[in-house]
Amino acid sequence: MVRLPMYARFPTDLAPHLRLWLLRLLVPLGGHREFIRPRGFCNDDVATTLGLAHWIDSSTLDFDVRAITTELRQLHQQAEQRRAPAPRSSCLRGNIKRLADLVGLSTTDCRILEFAVSIHQERLLDDTADWLGPLSSSQVCQALSTVLSLPETDIRIALSAQGLLARSGLLAIEPNGEWPLRRKLTLLSNTFADVMSYAETDPIGLLCGTVTLAAPGSLHLHDYEHIQPMLNILLPYLRHAVTTRRGGVNIFLHGAPGTGKSQLARTLAAELTCPLFDIASEDEDGVPAHGERRLRALSAAQSFFARQRALVVFDEVEDVFHDDPPFAHKSTAQIRKAWINKMLEENPVPTLWLANTISGIDPAFIRRFDMMLELPVPPKRQRQQILQAHAGDMLDPAQLSRIAAIDTLSPAVVAKASSVVRTIGTELGTGQAAAFERLITNTLTAQGHPARLTHTADPQPAPYAARFLNADADLAAVAAGLQTARTGRLCLYGPPGSGKSAYGRWLAEQLDMPLLLKRASDLLSPYVGENERHIARAFRQAKDDGAILLIDEIDSFLYDRRSARQAWEVSLVNEMLLQIEAFSGIFIATTNALPALDPAVLRRFDLKVKLDFLRPEQAQELLDRYCQLLQLSSPAAPLRQRLRQLTQITPGDFASVWRQQRFRPIADPAELVAALVAECALKDGRMAAIGFI
């Protein structure tokens, strides 16, 4: 048997009550069968502590198991007769008393908690308990009844799921399997035993590693004007709850990362002038806390702060509701469904639950929340304000407007990018703005967003005019009508380049309204259910911004449901129908394939306008305009005749040729017409000779 050298052994001055616990584990509970081996003790330090050191390496005594067992029983009887109480001045006893006063623990609760902390702190107690072998939950109650000299019935009640120890999260019995006594007694956190044993501290100190006091927020209520209607309900309700101690108050805030959920919680707490306590998602060593432990921390916070004016925030709710591993059937929330439901109905401290998505959460949980509030990305006007506050001194007006136009730009992304740039501002010099844009673009791309920073487009060679559109309706008159009505649903269809999207931009200028442009690639996702959320978000954003919503290439996903092969395809169309009907602003959809659209979708549009290829006279007028802009001579009759033969020419072809001339200068009208001929030839799939006439 390997023995520690004497200087490394544990001291023998163990507290009398701990020594008594050791003897009860060894004698009444039978641990001595493992402790006393035929040739020596299983643990010499325990033997020394109990007063059996004279049997270790003795030159005068043979190791007599029977004699040692008899002496051990005598030591136990003597200890029981003395029954010396534990010193009242210890940190552990003082902290347990504070917990008892705060939470309302009974004497039995305190005795059990003291033992649980001690077995996590005292190596000799833990080693001795191991000799009892793996224990079931029932056997744990039996063992504690003997060790603490308490009725087993009281122990079972105290350690039940309905007991205050479990409901407060301070102590619970590991429910799964048989384990040694120490492992079966699960404390609030890994550091709880240390804090309880070695420092007299306040409740927050006792919750070290599980609950923290949230730092002040950096945003204000005016930064959340885009959800003002919900704030008008939420803020008075929370004020009433914290003032009247109303129980069962739970608010669920969800939204994409960085939209300001945590900051909103802090802002609300500041507005209500009450502390905000955060359920930690990782311990003090940075190790992520699993869902079960976080729920116990929440229980502790509810018990600790039940009698004071406070709010609790549980961030990253996915730890509980979405933590089921691959191929598992239930998350922590599902396993603890009854507990979660009870918490949502009876928690004494108002709680804010934060998540990036509500996807996958059981509706039975959702209905128990007082409010479900989605926090979207702020509208453009507020994004501009946030950018101005964080980076106004490093961005010129054009840059600020360009970045604010990114509809996935969240406050957190702006704040982080600004912080990084300002940290190294001296080294960046005049490159701060470029660095700021690059950081934002990289972050949004990493989040899976199309972070397009739309730079100022090349000026159009000719001012946009409705007369250059070959439409089957008077689009100028339509614009005048929309100027008054401010509501309408238009479907513009026709070949590519015929001016459908350009009309939406022109209309926004005429009505002095922002334009929210969404392409099919912005809305479609490989994940089931995401498409519907993207569509709903686009309509909501247009409403919040007071913008015209233009969805390009709508035929990419609004195909006829009769030809759908998957359920999600039908769901996608249904969502679009609902959003179109509910939208009270101006909505424009463009498509190159009208017959492919679902008939029910088409019926939702107030006006369907076809934009076709240019009429010959329109094409000639544009040709003259471009020749003037390029300072070319007037086209000769043969060139005009050549242009008239182009039956599939569009305004987009002229715009394309204009862009070409930046790097391939056009010297005369013949080159201009040749370039237009080449553009049109590609539409038939033919490759015409591209050159000079």
Side-chain angles (χ1 to χ4, degrees):
M1 178 173 55
V2 178
R3 296 186 176 91
L4 295 171
M6 289 301 296
Y7 63 82
R9 292 178 184 169
F10 291 90
T12 60
D13 57 347
L14 199 66
H17 72 289
L18 294 176
R19 187 169 181 272
L20 177 59
W21 288 349
L22 293 180
L23 290 166
R24 286 173 175 172
L25 288 168
L26 291 171
V27 179
L29 290 173
H32 66 280
R33 299 184 184 92
E34 291 293 328
F35 171 54
I36 305 173
R37 302 287 178 84
R39 297 181 179 276
F41 295 110
C42 184
N43 187 310
D44 288 351
D45 296 311
V46 173
T48 301
T49 298
L50 295 177
L52 299 172
H54 53 281
W55 290 100
I56 302 174
D57 296 331
S58 175
S59 59
T60 60
L61 295 173
D62 293 331
F63 196 84
D64 188 333
V65 173
R66 180 173 296 181
I68 294 172
T69 302
T70 299
E71 185 176 346
L72 184 63
R73 293 183 188 279
Q74 292 173 349
L75 291 171
H76 171 241
Q77 290 175 359
Q78 294 170 6
E80 291 287 4
Q81 291 170 0
R82 287 194 294 267
R83 299 288 291 272
R88 290 289 175 181
S89 60
S90 70
C91 287
L92 176 56
R93 283 296 179 93
N95 285 330
I96 288 179
K97 184 179 185 305
R98 274 187 286 276
L99 283 181
D101 295 339
L102 180 67
V103 180
L105 299 177
S106 68
T107 301
T108 299
D109 294 331
C110 293
R111 294 279 302 281
I112 296 172
L113 184 60
E114 180 182 11
F115 178 83
V117 171
S118 298
I119 200 172
H120 280 77
Q121 285 295 112
E122 295 290 346
R123 174 71 176 276
L124 295 183
L125 187 60
D126 182 21
D127 289 346
T128 303
D130 282 350
W131 297 327
L132 302 182
L135 304 175
S136 65
S137 297
S138 178
Q139 289 170 327
V140 167
C141 294
Q142 295 170 7
L144 290 178
S145 174
T146 299
V147 172
L148 300 177
S149 190
L150 293 171
E152 185 177 335
T153 302
D154 293 352
I155 298 287
R156 291 184 183 277
I157 293 174
L159 289 177
S160 69
Q162 292 73 39
L164 194 52
L165 287 173
R167 287 191 288 112
S168 66
L170 295 172
L171 175 66
I173 292 184
E174 170 60 47
N176 301 316
E178 297 184 352
W179 301 99
L181 184 55
R182 179 181 182 272
R183 183 165 177 179
K184 289 291 286 187
L185 297 174
T186 307
L187 293 173
L188 176 63
S189 69
N190 295 332
T191 59
F192 183 73
D194 290 337
V195 175
M196 289 286 289
S197 300
Y198 297 126
E200 294 185 1
T201 184
D202 56 20
I204 286 293
L206 296 175
L207 293 173
C208 178
T210 60
V211 179
T212 58
L213 182 63
S218 59
L219 298 180
H220 303 87
L221 283 180
H222 62 75
D223 293 310
Y224 294 94
E225 292 177 356
H226 55 298
I227 58 167
Q228 192 62 50
M230 278 303 300
L231 288 180
N232 292 339
I233 303 172
L234 174 58
L235 195 55
Y237 184 64
L238 285 177
R239 183 176 289 112
H240 173 80
V242 298
T243 301
T244 64
R245 302 289 196 270
R246 179 185 177 92
V249 174
N250 294 276
I251 311 298
F252 198 107
L253 303 178
H254 62 101
T259 50
K261 300 183 293 296
S262 298
Q263 286 293 326
L264 177 58
R266 297 175 183 183
T267 301
L268 291 170
E271 186 70 18
L272 297 171
T273 62
C274 62
L276 178 69
F277 296 101
D278 189 8
I279 307 302
S281 58
E282 58 183 33
D283 63 23
E284 62 280 2
D285 296 324
V287 178
H290 56 76
E292 180 79 22
R293 188 172 291 277
R294 295 195 69 203
L295 284 180
R296 294 184 55 203
L298 175 61
S299 291
Q302 294 291 339
S303 297
F304 279 34
F305 310 122
R307 303 175 189 177
Q308 72 177 77
R309 182 185 175 97
L311 292 177
V312 171
V313 60
F314 194 111
D315 203 351
E316 300 181 18
V317 169
E318 293 85 350
D319 287 350
V320 172
F321 292 101
H322 301 161
D323 66 342
D324 48 314
F327 311 114
H329 299 291
K330 291 185 177 182
S331 64
T332 297
Q334 290 292 343
I335 295 172
R336 298 285 181 265
K337 191 170 185 177
W339 185 94
I340 292 281
N341 289 341
K342 189 176 180 65
M343 166 66 72
L344 294 177
E345 293 169 357
E346 300 179 359
N347 57 302
V349 184
T351 303
L352 303 170
W353 303 70
L354 314 185
N356 295 331
T357 177
I358 60 173
S359 174
I361 297 181
D362 191 327
F365 294 137
I366 292 178
R367 72 176 180 84
R368 285 178 165 82
F369 287 96
D370 299 78
M371 298 183 197
M372 302 291 296
L373 172 58
E374 181 175 6
L375 202 60
V377 173
K380 183 177 180 180
R381 64 181 181 277
Q382 283 186 254
R383 297 198 297 269
Q384 288 177 319
Q385 294 173 4
I386 293 170
L387 280 167
Q388 183 65 48
H390 285 276
D393 57 338
M394 68 177 74
L395 302 175
D396 61 38
Q399 292 169 326
L400 192 147
S401 178
R402 182 169 66 247
I403 298 174
I406 304 175
D407 54 25
T408 56
L409 182 64
S410 65
V413 173
V414 173
K416 181 61 69 175
S418 173
S419 174
V420 172
V421 171
R422 293 191 184 284
T423 301
I424 56 173
T426 304
E427 290 84 348
L428 292 173
T430 58
Q432 293 184 31
F436 183 78
E437 288 193 19
R438 184 177 296 279
L439 290 174
I440 283 180
T441 302
N442 290 349
T443 299
L444 293 178
T445 301
Q447 290 180 331
H449 300 308
R452 289 187 291 266
L453 285 176
T454 306
H455 292 265
T456 304
D458 295 319
Q460 289 296 317
Y464 182 91
R467 69 176 184 276
F468 292 131
L469 300 181
N470 183 16
D472 60 2
D474 188 342
L475 291 180
V478 170
L482 291 173
Q483 177 77 50
T484 302
R486 294 282 165 165
T487 182
R489 298 170 289 195
L490 280 62
C491 178
L492 307 181
Y493 66 98
S498 55
K500 302 182 293 296
S501 300
Y503 178 74
R505 297 187 183 93
W506 176 78
L507 180 64
E509 294 176 0
Q510 298 302 302
L511 274 57
D512 192 24
M513 295 175 64
L515 177 70
L516 179 59
L517 174 62
K518 293 289 185 180
R519 298 175 176 84
S521 58
D522 299 329
L523 302 176
L524 293 178
S525 168
Y527 304 106
V528 175
E530 283 295 313
N531 297 330
E532 291 87 339
R533 281 189 284 274
H534 290 169
I535 290 171
R537 188 178 298 119
F539 278 91
R540 183 183 60 244
Q541 184 180 347
K543 178 182 177 181
D544 292 342
D545 288 351
I548 295 175
L549 175 60
L550 172 61
I551 298 183
D552 247 340
E553 307 166 358
I554 202 168
D555 52 280
S556 299
F557 54 89
L558 287 188
Y559 28 72
D560 196 330
R561 284 173 293 181
R562 292 171 296 185
S563 62
R565 298 182 179 179
Q566 303 292 335
W568 65 264
E569 296 174 320
V570 176
S571 176
L572 193 81
V573 177
N574 290 341
E575 179 65 28
M576 179 61 79
L577 290 174
L578 292 173
Q579 293 296 335
I580 292 176
E581 289 183 344
F583 188 60
S584 59
I586 298 175
F587 171 52
I588 301 175
T590 72
T591 176
N592 301 331
L594 187 71
L597 296 185
D598 189 277
V601 173
L602 287 176
R603 288 197 300 271
R604 265 53 177 198
F605 289 104
D606 306 318
L607 182 64
K608 294 168 277 290
V609 180
K610 180 179 181 180
L611 279 74
D612 211 340
F613 299 111
L614 292 173
R615 297 190 300 274
E617 61 272 18
Q618 291 176 312
Q620 290 199 26
E621 185 177 355
L622 272 178
L623 177 63
D624 290 337
R625 177 71 63 89
Y626 275 75
C627 284
Q628 293 173 6
L629 292 170
L630 293 171
Q631 298 181 349
L632 305 177
S633 60
S634 178
L639 290 177
R640 293 181 180 277
Q641 183 60 34
R642 182 75 180 276
L643 185 67
R644 293 181 67 89
Q645 295 172 355
L646 301 178
T647 59
Q648 295 186 357
I649 193 168
T650 67
D653 296 325
F654 282 91
S656 178
V657 171
W658 173 265
R659 293 191 296 270
Q660 292 176 24
Q661 63 86 28
R662 294 176 302 178
F663 53 86
R664 194 179 71 167
I666 296 175
D668 54 48
E671 290 185 8
L672 176 58
V673 173
L676 292 170
V677 169
E679 289 294 323
C680 292
L682 294 175
K683 297 174 186 178
D684 289 333
R686 303 189 306 268
M687 289 299 297
I690 301 177
F692 302 105
I693 297 179

